[in-house]
Amino acid sequence: MRREIIKNIDGQSLIEGIAAIGIIVFALVGIIALTLYNLVGQRVSEESFIASNLAREGIEVVRNLRDNVWVGAPAAISTGNHLALPIFNSGSNSWSLSYNSGLNLDNINTRVYLKNNLYVHDASGLSTKFNRLLTIDFVCESGAVRISGSCPGGDPLAGYRVRSEVKWKDKSARFHLYSLTDYLYDWK
């Protein structure tokens, strides 16, 4: 006697279709999540890159002024005013420092603007999310760092400690701070 196995295949195609759709949806959700995560990471990376270059540029402005005109400490530093903004003069194609003791990274005066494809502290440009501030302190030959006044005990001035800080707020309202410090000495 032969037994025949009866197969009931009604509904099998429906279950296979649902399983296939589930696998495809699961894969698409993963791909979309990774894409969004990548886009956020790209934006954070771009902002950090701009901030690091703005900080580096601040240090380079002071270094350039040191290389071209080393006259000891600027008068503004010796009177206790050691906060500065790098100012670009497009007419003479040169940089200078604008000292102001009332500056801080939350002050609108430290805002960086985009003007003629340059990041500047000129409010006539397009406002960016970045604020930049330079802090310039004395470095005495003994190694002491002084915010203002002269080096103690007649210790001669050896150079400057320059700290360039850039602060910005991302789209999720989180603040970021990039800080770069360099020591510049009278090397000539």
Side-chain angles (χ1 to χ4, degrees):
M1 185 167 168
R2 253 179 60 169
R3 283 186 147 181
E4 286 190 31
I5 299 175
I6 301 174
K7 294 182 180 178
N8 185 359
I9 58 172
D10 293 343
Q12 184 176 353
S13 296
L14 179 63
I15 292 173
E16 289 173 349
I18 291 173
I21 289 173
I23 291 170
I24 291 171
V25 167
F26 184 73
L28 286 176
V29 166
I31 290 170
I32 290 171
L34 286 174
T35 301
L36 291 175
Y37 185 75
N38 187 27
L39 290 174
V40 169
Q42 180 183 357
R43 186 181 69 241
V44 169
S45 178
E46 179 183 354
E47 291 171 351
S48 296
F49 180 74
I50 292 171
S52 68
N53 280 318
L54 286 170
R56 183 185 52 80
E57 180 182 62
I59 299 282
E60 290 298 322
V61 167
V62 178
R63 179 177 283 118
N64 185 25
L65 293 172
R66 185 264 335 245
D67 290 349
N68 292 320
V69 188
W70 181 276
V71 190
I77 296 175
S78 62
T79 59
N81 188 358
H82 63 121
L83 304 174
L85 297 176
I87 304 297
F88 182 70
N89 182 337
S90 59
S92 64
N93 197 27
S94 64
W95 288 92
S96 63
L97 295 175
S98 173
Y99 294 94
N100 185 337
S101 61
L103 295 174
N104 63 55
L105 283 171
D106 297 320
N107 190 316
I108 191 68
N109 293 332
T110 62
R111 177 62 48 105
V112 177
Y113 298 89
L114 189 59
K115 182 177 179 181
N116 298 328
N117 292 324
L118 294 173
Y119 287 98
V120 295
H121 291 279
D122 181 355
S124 66
L126 177 66
S127 181
T128 68
K129 61 177 71 179
F130 300 99
N131 288 28
R132 173 174 54 185
L133 181 63
L134 301 178
T135 305
I136 305 170
D137 300 318
F138 290 137
V139 175
C140 304
E141 279 192 7
S142 66
V145 175
R146 303 282 297 191
I147 292 174
S148 64
S150 58
C151 293
D155 192 12
L157 175 69
Y160 304 115
R161 178 181 67 183
V162 181
R163 186 173 62 242
S164 182
E165 296 175 303
V166 178
K167 183 177 180 179
W168 74 98
K169 183 167 65 170
D170 64 16
K171 287 188 175 184
S172 60
R174 289 182 304 181
F175 284 98
H176 300 272
L177 178 67
Y178 188 90
S179 181
L180 187 62
T181 301
D182 199 1
Y183 290 82
L184 305 176
Y185 296 97
D186 185 6
W187 56 278
K188 290 184 178 181

